[in-house]
Amino acid sequence: MKFTALFYLLISVTPVHAAMDEIPLQVTDDGHFSLKAAVNGKEGKFILDTGSTGSVVGLSKLEHFGIKIASSGINGVTAGDEKEGTTQTFPVSIRSMVIENYELTLRNIYANSIGQLGPDIDGIIGHDAIVELHALVDINKGRLLVPEDESDTKDFFQALIRSIPPFLCCKLK
């Protein structure tokens, strides 16, 4: 716990020279991070959920995004808490997903009921999109950090490690 807190503190105060694009995240009334994304050329507001395996569009938002639903669904986990039970989830195909200036290669996402997230939320950006972007989530500053190339993530963490005082490095090993 102390290491995690220290890690997040260092990320927020450490000057890093890696080339990272910053995508600002907004905080919703209930404390989630949200961001704008476009699916099939139509913009929407999405919750960022690092624990969600795949990205999701709300069933009530399919027409807005021009998505046709698959003929049969699968049992999916209710957004927010797997203890709440399962919800009918439908694999859907999309033509495009864009976050900021980044067009993702995702062509298959899911659709299910996300009403519990609020009427202004159109979907969830999941782990699949975060991995494709090679993004880091800066919780303290509310931003998604997207490296300009693969070496920038390595540079980011090397700079972070170099900034840790030597007396702490010994205790963290």
Side-chain angles (χ1 to χ4, degrees), residues 146-168:
V146 182
E148 290 184 11
D149 67 48
E150 291 180 28
S151 66
D152 290 323
T153 302
K154 181 179 174 184
D155 293 345
F156 177 86
F157 282 109
Q158 285 178 338
L160 183 65
I161 289 167
R162 283 193 301 270
S163 71
I164 298 173
F167 68 91
L168 284 177

Side-chain angles (χ1 to χ4, degrees), residues 16-38:
V16 176
H17 302 291
M20 298 275 190
D21 276 347
E22 295 181 18
I23 298 173
L25 303 171
Q26 289 70 45
V27 180
T28 64
D29 292 340
D30 59 357
H32 289 96
F33 283 124
S34 69
L35 68 157
K36 299 287 183 186

Side-chain angles (χ1 to χ4, degrees), residues 99-116:
I99 298 174
E100 202 71 17
N101 297 322
Y102 298 94
E103 182 159 359
L104 295 120
T105 61
L106 300 176
R107 295 295 176 255
N108 297 299
I109 61 173
Y110 301 92
N112 67 21
S113 176
I114 59 164
Q116 72 278 15

Side-chain angles (χ1 to χ4, degrees), residues 4-95:
T4 303
L6 177 63
F7 179 74
Y8 288 126
L9 175 66
L10 287 171
I11 284 178
S12 65
V13 298
T14 303
V16 176
H17 302 291
M20 298 275 190
D21 276 347
E22 295 181 18
I23 298 173
L25 303 171
Q26 289 70 45
V27 180
T28 64
D29 292 340
D30 59 357
H32 289 96
F33 283 124
S34 69
L35 68 157
K36 299 287 183 186
V39 173
N40 295 340
K42 302 286 185 170
E43 190 172 278
K45 183 177 179 182
F46 290 77
I47 294 293
L48 181 67
D49 185 353
T50 60
S52 177
T53 304
S55 294
V56 175
V57 171
L59 284 172
S60 64
K61 312 295 181 166
L62 293 176
E63 187 175 324
H64 170 74
F65 292 114
I67 298 172
K68 295 196 185 308
I69 198 161
S71 59
S72 61
I74 56 175
N75 283 331
V77 176
T78 302
D81 187 357
E82 65 184 57
K83 292 179 184 177
E84 290 180 18
T86 59
T87 184
Q88 194 70 7
T89 299
F90 299 89
V92 294
S93 295
I94 59 172
R95 291 183 310 280

